[in-house]
Amino acid sequence: SLSGNIALAPFDLRKFMKTLNQEVPKTADPNVLKRVALSASFDGTGTSLNLKELKAELDETRLQGKINLKNMSPLDIEFGLGVDKLNADLYLPPATDKKKSKKAATPEAVAAGVATKIPVETLRAIKIKGDFEMDEFVISKAKLTDLKLSVRANDGDIKLLPAATLYEGTYGGDITLDAKGNEPKLAINTKLTGVKTELLLKDVAGTADLLGEANMSFNLSSSGADTNALKSR
């Protein structure tokens, strides 16, 4: 067993990686990754780790919360984390070709990836109880506020509940992955309400040729052990 406290004073991650002869990741903003700090108290064993009073800094971003990794294999984890703000665009690779730039992974895309890349036996064994909150998040120039994500997984029943405010409207999701049977079953319910298209387009595209509100909801369900099966069903 082990216990103690850890404190890393703010340091320049770019310089540190160069000292270790490691390649520094290419980022859209070359001035990021210059301030990293961490502090927490911890206790654990060879198969578990409990981080309490966790505080971390990445440039202008501040994170705090707790992570209790009860068991590494099979995974059994509980967490509660909060972040003040993050501009993900600054940390992505520089855009050399807009047509080839990668789109942001939505919670729906993450759930589909989990359903097709992790064996069913593993999905049944994992246990997750976690809540994540972020005050402000920027991705692909789009701004989301009051972002919340709840994750629950137990006995093959996996649920993601994302929610956020964007451009005077709301986004809400209910994503369920049922891995109790022989093949995963994925159900997605997503709803966008009252999103002001003018404000969204000004941030994302720079101009707004479309005015009004966006209201959208969709329900999808599928099953299959691989990506092709999920798409076809």
Side-chain angles (χ1 to χ4, degrees), residues 27-42:
T27 55
D29 185 347
N31 294 314
V32 297
L33 303 179
K34 288 190 174 181
R35 179 184 172 87
V36 177
L38 174 70
S39 66
S41 61
F42 65 89

Side-chain angles (χ1 to χ4, degrees), residues 35 55-64 82-85:
R35 179 184 172 87
K55 293 182 181 180
E57 298 179 21
L58 175 61
D59 300 315
E60 300 300 321
T61 300
R62 304 290 180 268
L63 173 147
Q64 62 181 4
V83 174
D84 58 352
K85 59 182 179 180

